[in-house]
Amino acid sequence: MEHDALPEPSAPARAPDAGPSCPAPETAATRQAFLYLQASVVGTLANFVSRFAWSELVGFEAGVLLATYTGMVIVFLLSYRRAFGVRRPDAAMCLRFALVAHVGMAVVWVVSVAALRVAESLVVLLPGWPVPPDVGTGMGGAAGGMGA
């Protein structure tokens, strides 16, 4: 006796008024992107927290750069094996990662220093706000003397 197999449905059955189906099947690319996002969040938090410590040690501008390197190294170490499944990164992979990360670092540094300069110039306009003695003298103010 032969049994006829039921044909596989081409799409999941749903109620007529249920709207479009939302969940997409998990793919390798989706998983890879999610794991990279996790590594990026951890690296961003490390960047943010270390920026305060670095700025105390070396000043604001250099602290921004060193904190960015801290986050960059953490993201790379967490992502190359976990997200991309690479046992040992090769030189080309490291170079690509470093180039992209350095472009981002340049943007972050310019924006951070510009925001600091704007904040320093606005502090003198606030009545009763304590003004560091070197604001307006070109010595860097809150930047720890690292400025122009």
Side-chain angles (χ1 to χ4, degrees):
M1 179 181 222
E2 251 182 88
H3 294 281
D4 291 339
L6 294 174
E8 292 292 322
S10 59
R14 59 187 172 104
D17 293 333
S21 61
C22 292
E26 184 176 316
T27 63
T30 304
R31 177 169 165 70
Q32 186 178 33
F34 181 72
L35 291 172
Y36 186 76
L37 177 66
Q38 285 179 335
S40 297
V41 167
V42 171
T44 301
L45 289 172
N47 177 330
F48 180 75
V49 171
S50 70
R51 183 168 299 178
F52 296 104
W54 284 120
S55 292
E56 286 294 318
L57 293 172
V58 296
F60 182 79
E61 287 92 344
V64 169
L65 295 175
L66 291 172
T68 303
Y69 277 120
T70 301
M72 187 187 313
V73 167
I74 288 173
V75 168
F76 186 76
L77 292 175
L78 289 177
S79 66
Y80 81 87
R81 177 173 285 167
R82 224 174 139 234
F84 302 117
V86 176
R87 287 187 181 265
R88 191 163 178 227
D90 61 2
M93 181 181 182
C94 294
L95 181 62
R96 281 191 310 267
F97 186 88
L99 287 173
V100 171
H102 279 87
V103 169
M105 181 172 63
V107 171
V108 166
W109 188 82
V110 168
V111 170
S112 297
V113 171
L116 175 67
R117 298 296 179 247
V118 168
E120 286 177 336
S121 67
L122 294 176
V123 164
V124 297
L125 300 175
L126 298 172
W129 194 269
V131 179
D134 57 351
V135 170
T137 64
M139 297 304 290
M146 298 294 293

